[in-house]
Amino acid sequence: MSQSSRFGWIRNPWVIGITVVAIAGGIFALSRQSTSDTTTVDSDTVKVSRGNIVSIVTGSGNIAADNSLDLTFQTSGVIAEVLVKENDKVSKGQRLATLDTRDLAAQVASAKAALDSAEARFTQIAQGNSLPSEISSAQAAVASAQAQLKSARENLAALRKPSTEQLSAAELRVTQAEASLQTTRDSASATKSKAEIDLSKASETLIQAQSRYQSARDDWKWVLDYGTDPTNSRRRLGDSEINGYRDAFVQAESSVRSAEQSVEQAQITVNNAREAEKSNVTQAEQVLKDAQIQLEALRNPTASNIAAAEATVEQNEAALEQAKANLDKLVVPGTESDVVIQQAAVEQAKQSYVQAQLRLENATIVAPFDGIIATVHVIAGQSATAATTAISIIDREPLHLDLKLSENDIVLVQNGDSAELSIDALPDWQQIGTITSISPAADTSSGIAAYRARIDFTDGDARVLVGMTANASIVVEERNDILVIPNSALLPKGTGRVVQIRGADGQITEIDVTTGLSDGIYSEVLSGLEEGQEIIETPLTRQETPGGFGRP
C-alpha cells in the first residue's frame, strides 16, 4: 500500500502510537455526541483536533531459508546407515548417512600397502641395499602370487569337474541376487509412485492458483480502467480499496509463480525417481545375470569358459614369476633406469591411494553447514547413486521473506527498517524482522512493476515452516500532536481537497485545505483549518445539496 492509504493495527512495539490515534478517533466521536456549555454541536459534524498518525507499508511473501541444499552420495553403493530424520538439528561436519564402506576401506588399505611397497622398493633400488622388512614384503608378494595361482587352478578344475559344494554356493548366489532384484524393484517403484502423486498434487495447486490469478487480474484491470467496484460498477472505490485490489492481484501472481516452481521441482523429483529406478534395477539385474552365468558355467562349462580359466592360470603363473624376480632383485643394486621406473611407480601408487581415500570419504554425507534436516529420501539397505538426492538440509538462521512493493511504497522503506511479521495460519505468532536488501531494479510482470525488499528474521518456533506465507508491516513515518481530520470529511476539488462547514444560517460552505500524512482513516491538516473548528464529517455532493453551496 502507499503512504497515503495503508494502515493496519500494529502490535508491539508501536502499539502506543496506534493507541493515540484511537484516542483521537474517540475524541472525534465524542465531539459529535456531546454538548458544550455554550455551543450545540450538529450530529453530522466533527471538530478538528490533535492526534498522532502512523503510516505503514505492508506486504506479504513466502518464508524461505537463506541456505538450502540437496545432498547426494558422490559414489555408488548400498546405504548402511541413515543417522538423521526430518526436523533434526545438525551441525556443520556432522555425519548424516553412510554407505557400506567395507569394500572401500579394503581398497584404501590395499592402496596404502601398494604405496608403502613402492616407496620401499624405490629406497632399495636407489640405495642399493635391502632391509629385512623389504625382503619379507617381497616374500609376501611371492606368497600372494602363489595363492592366486592356486585359486585360478582350482577354478579351472571346477569348470572341468565342479564339486557339490561349489555348485551349492553358486546356486545360493543366484537366489540372493533374485531376492535383491525384487527388493530393488519394489523400493524404486514405491519411490517413483510417491513422486508422481506429489507431481499431480502440485499440478492441481497450480491450476487453482491460475484460476485465482485470472479473477484477480480481471478485477484489477476493471479498477484501473473504471475506478469502480468490479462487483458494483456504480460504486466508486476509495484509495485503500483500489490498493486492496492491486495487492490481491500481486499476491495471486506470486502464488502462481510459487505453484509453477513447485510443479517444476515435483517434475524433477519424478524424473530422478524414474532414472534411479532404471539404474538400480539394471544394476541388480546385472548382478543376477552374472550369478546365473557363473552357475551355468559350473553346470555346463563351454569351451570359451575353460579357455578363459586357462588364460587366468597362465597370467597368474607369469605374475608369480615376476614376484620371484622382484625378490631376487632385492640383493642387487638397481640401475639408473630402474630408479626412474620405480620413482614413476611410487607416484602412480600415491595417486591410487589418494583416489581410494576420496572414494571412502565420498561414501559418507556430512552436513555442509549448521541447519535442520528438511527431508530424508533414503533408507538403510537401499542402493544409492551419485544422481540420487539422499537428504535435503536447510539453514533457518536467519529466515527471510521477499516482499514485492510498488514504486510508491519502495521509496518509503530503507535498509535497516524494522518490520513486524505475522502468519495467518498461526494467529498467536509474531516476530520482528529487519530489511536487509532492496532490489535496484523492478521486476515487471503484466505491465506492473514491483520491487523486492528482503526481510531477515530469526525464529525458533518449529511451527514456522519454510514456504509459509507471512505478512509484514513496516512503519515508514510517524507524526505526533498534529491537526487531524477524518478522511471521510475530504472532498476532491481540482488538484486539491476541500471540507464543508455549515454556517449559522445552515448554509454549507467549502473550505480549501492542504493535507499531509494519512493512515487511511485520518489525514494531517497542514493549512485551511484550526483546532476546534467544526466540519461536516460526511460531506454532501453538490447534486445532493438543495440550492447548492454558499461562497467557497
Side-chain angles (χ1 to χ4, degrees):
M1 286 186 185
S2 68
Q3 172 186 1
S4 63
S5 62
R6 287 196 175 182
F7 184 83
W9 290 106
I10 308 175
R11 296 182 289 273
N12 286 330
W14 307 301
V15 69
I16 296 176
I18 303 305
T19 303
V20 173
V21 172
I23 294 174
I27 294 174
F28 282 120
L30 291 174
S31 67
R32 301 196 310 270
Q33 299 173 5
S34 61
T35 303
S36 67
D37 293 338
T38 59
T39 305
T40 298
V41 180
D42 293 332
S43 61
D44 63 346
T45 63
V46 294
K47 287 184 177 181
V48 179
S49 183
R50 289 193 172 274
N52 303 335
I53 290 182
V54 178
S55 180
I56 65 171
V57 168
T58 64
S60 63
N62 295 109
I63 295 174
D66 272 11
N67 290 320
S68 61
L69 193 62
D70 292 333
L71 306 177
T72 63
F73 288 103
Q74 299 304 304
T75 188
S76 299
V78 176
I79 299 174
E81 291 183 293
V82 179
L83 304 172
V84 292
K85 60 183 181 300
E86 291 185 2
N87 293 318
D88 279 356
K89 292 184 178 180
V90 296
S91 303
K92 181 178 180 180
Q94 180 177 335
R95 296 168 64 246
L96 308 180
T98 63
L99 298 177
D100 185 341
T101 60
R102 289 175 295 180
D103 183 58
L104 296 173
Q107 292 178 21
V108 171
S110 177
K112 181 62 169 62
L115 175 59
D116 292 342
S117 176
E119 290 176 337
R121 177 63 175 159
F122 173 77
T123 301
Q124 185 271 326
I125 292 176
Q127 296 179 357
N129 56 23
S130 301
L131 298 174
S133 60
E134 296 168 344
I135 296 176
S136 297
S137 177
Q139 291 171 337
V142 171
S144 175
Q146 289 172 334
Q148 291 177 358
L149 176 58
K150 179 182 178 182
S151 175
R153 287 172 174 170
E154 290 175 349
N155 182 55
L156 177 58
L159 286 175
R160 289 171 175 169
K161 189 176 181 180
S163 66
T164 303
E165 292 78 8
Q166 290 170 328
L167 286 171
S168 297
E171 291 170 348
L172 178 60
R173 285 194 293 272
V174 170
T175 300
Q176 292 173 336
E178 289 174 340
S180 178
L181 173 59
Q182 187 59 47
T183 300
T184 300
R185 284 173 173 166
D186 293 344
S187 176
S189 178
T191 301
K192 182 183 68 175
S193 296
K194 181 180 183 302
E196 290 172 342
I197 291 173
D198 291 343
L199 174 60
S200 177
K201 292 179 180 178
S203 299
E204 291 176 1
T205 300
L206 174 58
I207 292 172
Q208 295 171 359
Q210 289 171 333
S211 176
R212 289 191 294 269
Y213 169 75
Q214 181 66 42
S215 177
R217 186 182 66 177
D218 292 344
D219 287 349
W220 176 234
K221 186 176 184 304
W222 177 277
V223 171
L224 286 178
D225 292 343
Y226 305 108
T228 61
D229 189 339
T231 63
N232 183 2
S233 60
R234 301 181 62 184
R235 188 177 73 85
R236 296 200 63 80
L237 299 175
D239 289 345
S240 61
E241 291 176 306
I242 292 174
N243 287 326
Y245 278 102
R246 181 196 62 189
D247 289 348
F249 169 71
V250 172
Q251 178 61 38
E253 183 180 41
S254 175
S255 296
V256 169
R257 299 292 176 267
S258 177
E260 289 173 341
Q261 292 173 0
S262 297
V263 170
E264 291 174 1
Q265 185 58 48
Q267 184 62 63
I268 291 173
T269 302
V270 168
N271 294 341
N272 289 341
R274 290 172 177 170
E275 288 299 322
E277 179 183 36
K278 180 179 178 181
S279 174
N280 294 341
V281 170
T282 299
Q283 182 180 359
E285 288 174 342
Q286 186 60 47
V287 171
L288 175 59
K289 181 179 179 181
D290 292 342
Q292 291 170 334
I293 291 173
Q294 292 173 5
L295 176 59
E296 181 61 24
L298 287 177
R299 287 174 173 172
N300 302 294
T302 64
S304 61
N305 295 144
I306 295 175
E310 290 173 341
T312 301
V313 170
E314 292 176 359
Q315 292 172 357
N316 281 277
E317 288 174 342
L320 176 58
E321 291 302 319
Q322 183 62 50
K324 290 179 177 179
N326 292 338
L327 177 60
D328 293 339
K329 287 182 179 180
L330 288 178
V331 295
V332 180
T335 65
E336 182 177 352
S337 176
D338 290 335
V339 172
V340 173
I341 292 173
Q342 191 58 35
Q343 177 65 53
V346 169
E347 292 301 321
Q348 183 177 2
K350 285 182 179 178
Q351 292 300 318
S352 297
Y353 178 53
V354 169
Q355 291 174 3
Q357 286 181 311
L358 183 60
R359 286 193 296 270
L360 180 59
E361 291 174 0
N362 287 340
T364 300
I365 294 178
V366 299
F369 47 77
D370 294 347
I372 295 176
I373 301 301
T375 53
V376 177
H377 304 279
V378 294
I379 59 174
Q382 178 181 342
S383 296
T385 65
T388 303
T389 297
I391 295 172
S392 299
I393 182 174
I394 61 174
D395 180 7
R396 289 173 55 93
E397 297 182 1
L399 296 172
H400 70 264
L401 67 150
D402 292 333
L403 304 182
K404 288 189 176 181
L405 303 178
S406 68
E407 58 186 29
N408 290 331
D409 286 348
I410 200 68
V411 298
L412 301 177
V413 302
Q414 57 185 339
N415 286 334
D417 282 352
S418 294
E420 185 191 53
L421 308 177
S422 63
I423 299 175
D424 292 340
L426 302 174
D428 61 337
W429 180 89
Q430 65 180 33
Q431 190 56 267
I432 301 299
T434 302
I435 295 180
T436 57
S437 67
I438 297 173
S439 61
D443 178 13
T444 302
S445 177
S446 300
I448 298 177
Y451 296 82
R452 179 187 57 79
R454 173 160 294 186
I455 298 175
D456 282 353
F457 68 98
T458 57
D459 188 81
D461 193 332
R463 298 176 301 165
V464 178
L465 306 179
V466 171
M468 280 186 169
T469 300
N471 308 307
S473 298
I474 308 164
V475 173
V476 296
E477 190 171 359
E478 181 176 358
R479 295 182 186 174
N480 300 319
D481 194 26
I482 57 176
L483 290 181
V484 293
I485 60 174
N487 288 351
S488 62
L490 292 169
L491 283 175
K493 181 180 180 182
T495 59
R497 300 286 186 89
V498 297
V499 297
Q500 295 177 354
I501 64 173
R502 180 177 289 109
D505 58 357
Q507 185 72 20
I508 294 177
T509 304
E510 291 183 351
I511 298 178
D512 293 320
V513 295
T514 303
T515 59
L517 185 65
S518 175
D519 60 18
I521 301 176
Y522 298 98
S523 289
E524 176 187 15
V525 177
L526 299 178
S527 64
L529 296 173
E530 297 180 354
E531 183 177 359
Q533 189 172 358
E534 293 181 7
I535 62 175
I536 296 177
E537 181 178 17
T538 305
L540 300 175
T541 63
R542 289 177 173 82
Q543 291 78 7
E544 295 172 326
T545 306
F549 296 140
R551 181 179 56 85

